[in-house]
Structures are given as C-alpha cells and as structure tokens.
Amino acid sequence: MKTVHLVQHTHWDREWYFTENDSKAVLYYFMDDLLQRLEDDNTLGPFVLDGQTVVIEDYLSVAPQQETRLRQLIEQGRIVIGPWYTQSDFLVVGAESITRNLLLGQADCQRFGDAMPVGYVPDSFGQSAQLPMFLQQFAIDHAVIWRGWSEHNVPFSEFSWQAADGSKVTTAVLPWGYGCAKWLPDSPSACLTALQPILEKQTRFSLTGNVLLPNGNDQSPFEYRVPQLLDQLNQQQDEYRFVRSSFSQFFQSLESTNVTLPIYQGELISPKYMRIHRGIFSTRVDIKQLNARLEQTLSQHLEPLLALNWRLGLPYPQHAVDNIWREAMKSHAHDSIGGCNSDRVNAMVKNRLESGLEMAQQLIDLNMKMLAEGISAQLDGKKIIIFNARPQISAGLVEVTIYTPEQDFRVVDGEGNECRWQIVEEGRQDMSIIVQELSNSTETTWYRKCRLLLEVADIPACGYQTLYLQEGVRAECDQQVESVVKLENPWLLLEANKQGILTLTDKRNQQTYHHVLQLVDGGDAGDNYNYSPPFNDWLINSDDFLTSVTGQQGVLQSSLTLNWQMAVPEDLAARNARRANGELDVTMTITLAHTNTWLDVAISVNNTVRDHRLQVLLPTNVQQHIHFADQPFGLIERQNMPPEMAVWQDEQWTEAPVALYPMQSQVMMYDEKRGLCVLTEGLREYQIPENQQDVMAVTLLRSVGWLGQANMPYRPGRASGMVLPSPDSQIQGMHHFKLSLLAMNNGADSTFWRDVERVRGNLHAWLATGWSRFRTNPHGRVFPPHFSILSWDTELHFSTLKKAQHSDALVVRAWNPTARTLARGSITTNGEVAAATLAETTLQTDRHQESVPTCAPATCVINFGGEKTC
C-alpha cells in the first residue's frame, strides 16, 4: 500500500497577467478565509504559504491588524512559511540575488517562527545545477521542485541532487506540477474517482511507497473540506493510505524506508513533461539589462563602498540597502524577470528596477561625496577618488566624467606624477542642471563635458586612491588621435574588409577567427515565453549593408566604428512574403586597449521593426561537441546539440529542447589550440545553431507582440499563460549592448581566468567638484589620501564586500569559476577572519588550509572588535 502525503498549499504569483495591486486585493480575502478556517477547526493544517515570505509582507501591508493572528498560526506550525523571500528564477538572476533571497527570507521567518526546512521551488522555469549548493549553505537538506525534470535526467522522482562542489540535498519532484490535485470534489466517491488518474501519474516514477499529493493552485482558496475526506477515502479502497502531511513529514517517511536514492548532478532544464519556456532568457532584454546593472551596482559598487565608509566611521544604511534588494527580488519571480507578463506588469517590473538603481546611485553619490570631503588634499586641484571594490591591488583603465570651463587640464597622482588619459567623448553641458545654485540663474553657464579614460595603477585592495584634476594646466601626455583601419596591440589584430566583415587574429598562437561579430536578423513567431522561428524563416545578415567604417588610435586605446543600415522585414507577414520593407540602423564600436588582451564591443540598435530576433555570431571553428557557460557561482558544461532533440517529437515533449541556453554573462567554446569566450553585460541568452555547431550566437534582442500563443514549431499545443496582446514587448526604440570578446590561446588556464576577472573590473572613479544636488552638513572626520580595508591573495573571483546582516562585522565573498579546485588564499586585515557560509554562519575550519571546489563560493566574516579606523 502506498502512502499518499496530502500537502495543502497555494501558489501565489504576485503578478503575471494581473498586477501586484490585483494580487494584494485577492490576498486580503484569501488570507482572511484561511485564518478563519484554521482558527475554527484545530484539525486543519499545516498549510504551505508558497515558500515565500513576501506573501506575509504583502498581506500585512493591507491588513496590519491581523499580524497577531497570523503569527500564532505560524508559531503553531499550522501555517508554514519560507525559506525564500520570493519565488525567484534561478537561471537569469545573479548569485548574490539568490543568496540575499534566502538570507532575507530566513530573517523574515525568524521574526514569525521557524522557516520550512525545504527548498520549495514549485514553478521556476528550469532548475540551476547550483540549487543544492545554495540550500546546503543555509543548512537546508531537502528540495521540492517541478519544472525541468524528466527520466532522461534521473529515472525516479526522488533522488539525491548533488552540486559540483559536492553539496547534496534529497529532492522530490512534483512530476505533474503543484496543481495536479487542485479543486477536489467534496464527495468522497467523486474525490476518489478524480484522484485515481492523478495518483496513477504521480506514482509512475516514484521510487518508494511514499507519494506527494499537492492540493492547491495559483491564487486558489483553501480547500478546507478535503482533509476530512481522507478517512473515508482510506475506507473505500486499499491501494492508497491518505494522510495529512507536509513536505517535511514526507521526507521523514522517505528516509525511514532506508532506500538508496540515485545521485544526479547537473541542471534540470528538460521540457518533456512541463514547459521551461526557452525564450524568457531574452524576452524584454531591457528588463534583463536593468536587473543585471542593479545587481552589479548593489553587490560590487554600493555595498563595498558602504563597507569602506563604515570602517572609516560613517553610518551603514543597512535597512535602505535591504529595501533595494527586496524591491529587486519582487522583480525576480519566474514570470516577473522572465518578462512573460502583461505590458502593465512589465512596466511595473521595470519601474522597480529603475527605482532601485536610482536609490543605489544616490547612496553612491552621497557616500563618495562624504569620502572625498574627509580626505585632506595633498595637492592643488579637484580630487578624483578611484575606488577599488576588489580585494586585490588593481590597475587598469577607468572612466570618469569631468566638467570644466578650461580648455587645458591634467590629472596627477598624490606625488604629482601626471597620469595618462584619453577623451572618449566630448560635448557641452548646461551646468544649471547639475549645480543647484545655478538652477535659477537667468544666464546659461556652459562647461566642457569630457568622458575620460584614465590610466591608474596601484589602487589599494578594497580601498581607494586620490588623484587630482588640475585645470588650466596643459597635459604632457599626447592627445593626438590618428585614423586607423585596423586594431592591433601585442596580443590581438582585428581587421575589417570593405563589407565590414571582421577577422580576428590571436598573435600569441597565430590562430585566426573569420567573420566574428556578424549580425543576423531572423523572424520570431513566438511569444513572451518562447522564441519560435517562423515555419519558413528568412535570415538576413549584416554583410551587405555596411554604410561606413571609421577608426581612431589614441594614447590608451584604439577603436573601429561600423555602421549598418540593414534592410529587413517590418513584421512577420512581411518576412513570410520575403519583403524587406523595414530598416535596422546598427552601430558597432569595437575597442582594443593597448594593454588589454580582449576586445570591448558596444552595439547600438534602433529597433523599428517587429516580430524578429537579432543575434551576434561568434564562429570558433572548434570541433567539439561541448561548450561552457557561467551559472550562479560557477561554470557549467553543456552539449552543443542536446541528444533529446532526436526524440522530443516522437515522445511528444511539451517543448523542443533546443540549444537555446541561459548564462549569467559568459559563454565559451575552445579546444587545446583555439577558442573564443564572450562576456556580456545583461545579455542572458545564447544559442548553438543546429546547422553551425562551432558558432556561439548571443541574442541581443527579440521582439514579440503576444504574452501567449498556441501551436508554435518549438512549442506545440496550447498557449502558455494568456492569449493576450503585449505590444510593448516589441521593445521599439534605441537599445545599447555591451560585450567583451576574448581569444583563448591556451584553454581555460589561470591566465585566461585572470583576464576574465580583469574584464569584469571593479574600479570606479568619482570627481569631487564641490557641487551637489543636495546639501549635507560636514561630518567632521578626516580620512587618509589612500586606504585599504583588506587584501585577499586568491585566484577566486570577487563577488561582494558588505556589512554582515546581523552583526558589526564585514563579509567578503569570492567564488571559484574554474573547473578545478583553487586555494582559498589568505586575507590580510587588522580584523579577526573566520570562514563562513552564505548564511553568514561561521564554519569550523582553518581558512589558510581550506581549498575551494569548483562552482563554490568562499565567504569570510571579518570582526574588527567594534573599533573604527578613523
């Protein structure tokens, strides 16, 4: 006899085709009913509140007077909460976001009671291979998931899931989803009739006699009559024994069987039984870029800067930072960040991210102003603060924008030595927009506005250095710019022919890459969930549409700018008719710094056409069947051609398992002789085309006009979501993209990974003009002209530096991006260092001896004993 564990729950989408305002109104009445039913009948419960504490936050925002009632039921274990703050996507959002989601979610749970010790992920569009690692770092041993699993991954719905670093969690799959047993009839006989086919499907892949039966659905009311039917169901048949249960009770029963579970390692993105919606990785690329920018700004600029200033005695606005993270996480749910929403909701998602950036940038400006204010000038001139977030001494190129009335100026270091710089862009600036005192002036004050590329060296680790802008003094460094037709330095050569076709030569090993960075535009007959090619697509590349090529060489870098006017169809109907009645204006600027081993690429697209997808191609001529991409805190190996493509139609999969993949920012294909790696800013999708297995195609944008559609080539059958027009998802207008291209001359060796970290960079420059939109009183503290909190001798890649969540300590985190174990390395600081988990709990280990496995983070907590530096 099989034991059926009935778990009652709701799945609560905060927004989708409806807004969060709609959701809160429904939540008010849902929770009112739930609380009353549980209070009236002590036998009811436990009830799972979707594993996300934002539901509590939303409810109490509209019913604050109900907190005591809610808290009592949580403390009694009859309402089960957490461990997440929101039900996040795990393939598109960043590693720090996932970490903070659990960190803040568990903090919420501690305020109300205990967190559910289960990594419940009912609806994420695919599962990251890193999920077991994240859960184990927060002492969570179990996971319940839905989408992404099939027997092609592991033959049973219960298994031990292992991350690359060795972390394991016991995992149970809901093979037919969290809503498979929704809306059960009140009559025992009718209920049993309804359950028979459901249970037959639920038990099909079960390894033991314990079966999960989730009773609930999207925003569905509590089915309070179902539990009382269980005794009668047990009396009417002897195949199943029905019990009121929870996910934790299910795992206890599973473990009591002493059955050895199969071990699975890897991601779960199989769409055999449930759609994972390959296409959300590039839907609404404007939202993806905003989110990536916010994540980077928070974890690698604002938080490290606040940590620095906190050590210098300035306040750390913890609650303000947490609020930015929380608002960002409200945009990280699978639908929200996926962009598969109504236009109104996508506008709200975008607004939250823009608001977070606005707040973060204001905090950065105020803290840079306070930092500069405390530094006593060593020389004449305006102070330029170079801030280095990384825990290693850094050098390189950093951008800074200056406003000056003078034609001549120079930049010097603290010893008076002149720094080299190059003007990247120049214009005029109305200063009344910037200087508050000039805003009411009757005359316009115009200054030169120069965006400079500045060469700096020896910037202290997790610290700053002070330079000086001296105006009215002629610079000694040569600012002459020469015209060029190619880019070249000691490592790379890039040449363009008359059509604008680019050839890259790696001078280190004489390997040549032809036709790099070609643009290809094709049709998109899909929706917000899925890219889908038209049944007879018409691909148009950039080769025949070049209008100009210009190049220039400066003191620090050289650049080529290519302009195309691509004749393309204006919509799907025109593409089907082979009419090129629209135009895409595209500008690509490729930059090669004289000291860098990579190309920086900026692409601007005026998107005036619809129903299409634009990609940039990177042919590698590498004859391998695998490639690599980054994932949260790690690297993953993937097949160029998924073997399931041979069987998906015969097995009637819900979606084609095409080689359309997510990334955090990096994808690479290489062998022992050659290879290419691309690093992007906010572009989350790439493809290995079926007919070009040596090509990496990075999606720049896709334009579609529907939330959901039916019967697409890559996704046959019903429409996903709602058949609802979403014209804003055509994302008309100007779009700007950035990526960097690295040639690989010796595989993924340590030199390559150092270059990858250099590409990502963490140098920030700020000019202390004395102007400010907002006045503040002086803080009265004095800071040194240069300062460092700590240095970390490690090959690990930097993730964040922040104040600890619940103590007066600092947290510094790095991660191992390579496929091999790396030494943790030693930290030099005047505080006491202890290794810790992502949950910021101390580990009992010697940090100087411990190594860091592949795809693993290394977190250290530093306690300074309560003393500030200044």
Side-chain angles (χ1 to χ4, degrees):
M1 179 182 292
K2 295 180 174 63
T3 300
V4 178
H5 294 259
L6 181 82
V7 180
Q8 295 196 286
H9 74 97
T10 187
H11 177 55
W12 204 267
D13 298 295
R14 296 188 72 253
E15 57 195 6
W16 182 14
Y17 57 89
F18 50 85
T19 71
E20 66 172 286
N21 299 316
D22 297 324
S23 172
K24 286 181 181 179
V26 176
L27 182 62
Y28 177 89
Y29 292 103
F30 167 84
M31 291 296 295
D32 183 70
D33 176 73
L34 175 65
L35 298 183
Q36 193 63 54
R37 300 289 182 187
L38 291 173
E39 289 171 343
D40 289 347
D41 185 349
N42 289 330
T43 67
L44 293 176
F47 185 90
V48 177
L49 205 56
D50 203 35
Q52 52 177 337
T53 61
V54 73
V55 179
I56 298 173
E57 183 180 299
D58 283 349
Y59 175 57
L60 294 180
S61 73
V62 294
Q65 72 279 6
Q66 303 299 347
E67 180 172 346
T68 300
R69 296 174 66 202
L70 177 60
R71 183 184 298 275
Q72 287 176 345
L73 290 167
I74 293 172
E75 290 173 348
Q76 294 167 9
R78 299 178 63 209
I79 291 180
V80 181
I81 63 171
W84 306 101
Y85 174 63
T86 60
Q87 280 291 349
S88 178
D89 168 273
F90 292 93
L91 300 175
V92 171
V93 305
E96 284 296 332
S97 290
I98 298 171
T99 301
R100 311 310 174 86
N101 201 314
L102 276 170
L103 197 64
L104 294 174
Q106 293 212 335
D108 289 347
C109 292
Q110 290 168 8
R111 288 173 42 228
F112 285 90
D114 291 331
M116 178 173 67
V118 177
Y120 180 52
V121 184
D123 207 18
S124 179
F125 296 148
Q127 315 295 334
S128 169
Q130 292 289 73
L131 185 58
M133 181 275 296
F134 280 103
L135 296 177
Q136 278 289 281
Q137 289 270 327
F138 283 82
I140 297 173
D141 297 326
H142 304 107
V144 174
I145 62 173
W146 174 27
R147 298 182 193 266
W149 169 91
S150 80
E151 71 274 22
H152 289 273
N153 303 118
V154 59
F156 301 105
S157 55
E158 301 86 30
F159 55 93
S160 179
W161 190 5
Q162 180 175 311
D165 74 334
S167 303
K168 291 182 183 178
V169 292
T170 302
T171 304
V173 176
L174 305 173
W176 312 104
Y178 57 81
C180 64
K182 63 188 176 187
W183 309 329
L184 292 175
D186 294 341
S187 161
S189 58
C191 185
L192 186 60
T193 300
L195 283 172
Q196 287 290 352
I198 295 171
L199 289 170
E200 180 182 341
K201 292 171 70 174
Q202 286 293 92
T203 59
R204 187 176 303 171
F205 300 106
S206 182
L207 184 61
T208 74
N210 291 281
V211 183
L212 275 174
L213 187 67
N215 173 226
N217 201 46
D218 300 348
Q219 294 75 234
S220 275
F222 179 28
E223 296 183 44
Y224 62 93
R225 294 189 181 92
V226 171
Q228 66 186 12
L229 300 176
L230 299 188
D231 289 341
Q232 298 175 68
L233 293 178
N234 287 332
Q235 294 171 6
Q236 291 183 10
Q237 49 76 52
D238 57 9
E239 185 176 0
Y240 304 105
R241 182 174 69 89
F242 293 89
V243 297
R244 303 184 193 189
S245 193
S246 66
F247 293 127
S248 293
Q249 289 172 295
F250 166 81
F251 284 112
Q252 289 174 5
S253 297
L254 179 66
E255 288 161 5
S256 70
T257 64
N258 293 319
V259 171
T260 301
L261 299 177
I263 296 175
Y264 175 73
Q265 182 172 327
E267 62 188 348
L268 292 168
I269 56 173
S270 170
K272 179 174 183 179
Y273 297 111
M274 63 294 288
R275 295 168 174 179
I276 65 160
H277 302 306
R278 296 175 193 244
I280 64 156
F281 314 134
S282 57
T283 299
R284 289 299 301 262
V285 69
D286 54 336
I287 288 176
K288 304 294 191 300
Q289 289 177 299
L290 266 174
N291 179 65
R293 184 178 162 202
L294 177 56
E295 289 178 325
Q296 290 294 103
T297 299
L298 282 172
S299 64
Q300 301 209 353
H301 191 177
L302 175 59
E303 288 182 321
L305 175 61
L306 293 175
L308 172 76
N309 280 3
W310 180 71
R311 286 298 302 143
L312 292 171
L314 296 176
Y316 193 105
Q318 181 74 63
H319 198 70
V321 175
D322 286 350
N323 281 346
I324 300 175
W325 277 114
R326 286 180 185 271
E327 289 301 302
M329 289 170 203
K330 291 174 183 175
S331 293
H332 288 171
H334 51 285
D335 293 314
S336 302
I337 197 64
C340 40
N341 310 292
S342 67
D343 282 346
R344 166 67 175 147
V345 170
N346 278 334
M348 297 174 78
V349 170
K350 188 172 182 178
N351 180 67
R352 277 196 296 266
L353 297 171
E354 288 174 331
S355 296
L357 270 170
E358 201 171 62
M359 178 71 163
Q361 192 57 56
Q362 187 58 241
L363 287 171
I364 288 170
D365 286 344
L366 289 171
N367 274 270
M368 288 304 297
K369 177 187 173 185
M370 289 188 288
L371 177 59
E373 174 193 317
I375 297 172
S376 299
Q378 306 296 302
L379 297 173
D380 292 335
K382 294 175 181 174
K383 287 171 280 190
I384 300 178
I385 312 302
I386 310 297
F387 171 58
N388 175 22
R390 289 178 59 204
Q392 292 88 32
I393 295 174
S394 293
L397 304 178
V398 62
E399 283 195 359
V400 61
T401 298
I402 68 167
Y403 306 94
T404 178
E406 302 290 344
Q407 184 60 37
D408 294 324
F409 59 84
R410 69 173 187 167
V411 179
V412 298
D413 64 18
E415 304 299 321
N417 301 310
E418 188 169 312
C419 303
R420 297 199 303 166
W421 51 268
Q422 180 177 337
I423 294 179
V424 177
E425 185 178 21
E426 182 173 359
R428 292 205 309 162
Q429 177 66 52
D430 177 1
M431 297 305 293
S432 65
I433 298 173
I434 296 176
V435 184
Q436 187 182 38
E437 289 81 356
L438 297 177
S439 60
N440 295 321
S441 175
T442 58
E443 296 182 2
T444 303
T445 302
W446 293 99
Y447 274 24
R448 289 178 71 195
K449 178 182 179 181
C450 299
R451 183 160 62 92
L452 301 183
L453 194 66
L454 183 62
E455 185 178 54
V456 298
D458 298 326
I459 308 303
C462 294
Y464 65 85
Q465 181 66 274
T466 307
L467 307 181
Y468 298 89
L469 172 69
Q470 296 179 336
E471 298 167 281
V473 182
R474 189 174 185 83
E476 294 179 4
C477 66
D478 183 14
Q479 289 302 311
Q480 184 176 352
V481 174
E482 299 178 1
S483 295
V484 295
V485 294
K486 64 181 180 180
L487 304 181
E488 186 172 12
N489 70 9
W491 301 278
L492 300 176
L493 169 65
L494 183 76
E495 299 172 286
N497 70 7
K498 293 181 179 179
Q499 289 179 284
I501 296 173
L502 297 166
T503 299
L504 174 65
T505 301
D506 186 343
K507 297 165 67 174
R508 296 167 296 187
N509 58 7
Q510 299 306 309
Q511 294 293 311
T512 301
Y513 303 88
H514 299 285
H515 235 134
V516 294
L517 300 171
Q518 182 191 41
L519 299 168
V520 174
D521 187 73
D524 194 334
D527 54 23
N528 284 0
Y529 288 96
N530 284 80
Y531 161 74
S532 190
F535 284 98
N536 186 19
D537 201 2
W538 184 24
L539 299 178
I540 299 171
N541 66 50
S542 55
D543 290 354
D544 297 324
F545 301 104
L546 185 73
T547 59
S548 67
V549 179
T550 57
Q552 64 177 27
Q553 177 174 305
V555 65
L556 298 178
Q557 66 180 21
S558 303
S559 63
L560 281 180
T561 298
L562 300 91
N563 292 284
W564 294 275
Q565 290 181 338
M566 295 177 63
V568 298
E570 68 176 10
D571 57 21
L572 206 55
R575 194 173 295 270
N576 290 336
R578 294 295 196 270
R579 293 198 314 272
N581 56 350
E583 187 174 86
L584 280 179
D585 290 332
V586 183
T587 298
M588 180 185 294
T589 299
I590 307 166
T591 302
L592 178 61
H594 302 331
T595 56
N596 287 349
T597 55
W598 64 86
L599 299 170
D600 291 315
V601 184
I603 305 172
S604 296
V605 180
N606 186 11
N607 185 33
T608 58
V609 299
R610 301 178 297 281
D611 311 325
H612 73 117
R613 182 181 69 168
L614 183 65
Q615 294 183 310
V616 59
L617 303 192
L618 300 163
T620 66
N621 198 26
V622 169
Q623 305 306 308
Q624 294 274 27
H625 66 279
I626 60 170
H627 65 278
F628 299 86
D630 62 345
Q631 59 180 342
F633 288 141
L635 196 70
I636 190 163
E637 177 185 308
R638 293 188 175 121
Q639 299 284 329
N640 293 355
M641 173 64 79
E644 295 84 3
M645 282 294 289
V647 301
W648 82 275
Q649 289 175 306
D650 291 340
E651 295 183 0
Q652 297 182 321
W653 285 35
T654 65
E655 186 182 331
V658 295
L660 191 63
Y661 291 120
M663 62 177 168
Q664 290 286 293
S665 64
Q666 177 180 1
V667 58
M668 58 187 184
M669 187 182 292
Y670 66 92
D671 58 24
E672 66 278 3
K673 293 182 179 179
R674 57 189 287 124
L676 291 177
C677 170
V678 63
L679 290 158
T680 72
E681 293 186 18
L683 300 176
R684 297 300 209 217
E685 179 184 279
Y686 70 93
Q687 184 175 17
I688 309 298
E690 289 184 48
N691 60 345
Q692 295 175 288
Q693 291 287 286
D694 63 342
V695 171
M696 301 180 295
V698 175
T699 304
L700 297 179
L701 60 82
R702 57 188 294 260
S703 301
V704 292
W706 292 88
L707 173 55
Q709 292 197 94
N711 295 316
M712 298 188 297
Y714 280 178
R715 201 192 69 210
R718 66 171 178 83
S720 287
M722 305 284 288
V723 181
L724 184 71
S726 61
D728 288 355
S729 292
Q730 298 283 8
I731 57 172
Q732 302 291 276
M734 287 298 302
H735 296 273
H736 306 282
F737 311 101
K738 288 185 178 181
L739 55 90
S740 298
L741 181 61
L742 293 87
M744 303 178 69
N745 70 313
N746 194 31
D749 63 359
S750 58
T751 300
F752 164 78
W753 285 114
R754 280 197 298 272
D755 286 342
V756 168
E757 182 76 333
R758 287 176 61 212
V759 171
R760 293 192 171 118
N762 270 298
L763 289 175
H764 309 278
W766 195 83
L767 175 65
T769 62
W771 308 319
S772 178
R773 292 173 59 196
F774 304 103
R775 288 187 174 275
T776 57
N777 284 328
H779 52 67
R781 294 181 177 273
V782 178
F783 307 141
H786 53 84
F787 180 69
S788 172
I789 300 176
L790 61 91
S791 64
W792 192 349
D793 180 18
T794 182
E795 292 184 66
L796 301 173
H797 284 196
F798 176 66
S799 184
T800 197
L801 170 68
K802 61 183 285 284
K803 187 174 176 294
Q805 198 69 29
H806 304 295
S807 66
D808 281 343
L810 289 183
V811 170
V812 62
R813 181 158 41 246
W815 56 285
N816 181 357
T818 75
R820 63 187 188 277
T821 296
L822 293 178
R824 178 182 289 269
S826 59
I827 293 179
T828 302
T829 181
N830 62 351
E832 182 180 339
V833 181
T837 65
L838 293 178
E840 300 180 11
T841 57
T842 302
L843 290 170
Q844 300 302 314
T845 182
D846 185 343
R847 70 181 190 278
H848 296 290
Q849 296 179 1
E850 186 180 352
S851 58
V852 180
T854 180
C855 300
T859 305
C860 293
V861 173
I862 306 170
N863 196 310
F864 296 94
E867 294 183 3
K868 299 296 189 294
T869 299
C870 295

